[in-house]
Amino acid sequence: MLIAALCISTQSLTQSAYARTLSEAEIIQTIHVAKIFKTPNFRATFSDGTVIVNMYRNPSAPERDLKIDAVLVTKALRDRYPADVKAVSMNVYDQTNRTAVRQCTVPEQMIKRFASGGITQEDLLSFLTVTK
């Protein structure tokens, strides 16, 4: 009985922490409306407050561009779904080498600090890393 009550209680906490689950269509539509990418070819998933965007991109694009794209996507999604989106992770693949991926994750606290004027744009970009 105690275990059942604990499971129900844990489920309620999980549901209240993330009030809704965003669909891929909602995420993609929000990014399209923001006009961040020229290509409509990308995928997106949502899990536990994190949006993951997967796309192909020019492998010679500088890391700074990837960081800026990740910040713009995060801003667009947080503006539309502030209670739901806690972080955005961008995965960029090379079309010629599909095992190579570059990833940049933008956590909610960094966007909040930037929005409140706590850090500059350059500080935000220097904080973000692109992992391979």
Side-chain angles (χ1 to χ4, degrees), residues 27-83:
I27 295 166
I28 288 174
Q29 194 252 354
T30 300
I31 295 169
H32 280 305
V33 168
K35 297 180 181 180
I36 299 166
F37 305 126
K38 291 180 182 177
T39 178
N41 300 326
F42 58 91
R43 303 293 310 250
T45 60
F46 180 77
S47 179
D48 294 329
T50 299
V51 172
I52 300 170
V53 177
N54 297 301
M55 67 184 306
Y56 291 105
R57 184 150 177 186
N58 182 342
S60 62
E63 287 187 1
R64 181 177 175 86
D65 287 358
L66 177 58
K67 291 177 182 183
I68 291 170
D69 286 348
V71 168
L72 293 173
V73 168
T74 302
K75 181 183 180 332
L77 292 168
R78 293 254 323 130
D79 285 352
R80 178 105 189 253
Y81 307 105

Side-chain angles (χ1 to χ4, degrees), residues 71-122:
V71 168
L72 293 173
V73 168
T74 302
K75 181 183 180 332
L77 292 168
R78 293 254 323 130
D79 285 352
R80 178 105 189 253
Y81 307 105
D84 303 305
V85 175
K86 304 301 177 197
V88 171
S89 186
M90 296 264 310
N91 296 325
V92 178
Y93 297 89
D94 176 357
Q95 288 189 2
T96 59
N97 180 2
R98 295 184 184 208
T99 59
V101 63
R102 294 183 294 163
Q103 182 181 62
C104 182
T105 301
V106 183
E108 175 185 32
Q109 48 282 39
M110 292 310 297
I111 293 299
K112 285 183 176 180
R113 286 184 62 200
F114 176 67
S116 70
I119 59 173
T120 66
Q121 176 180 320
E122 287 307 312

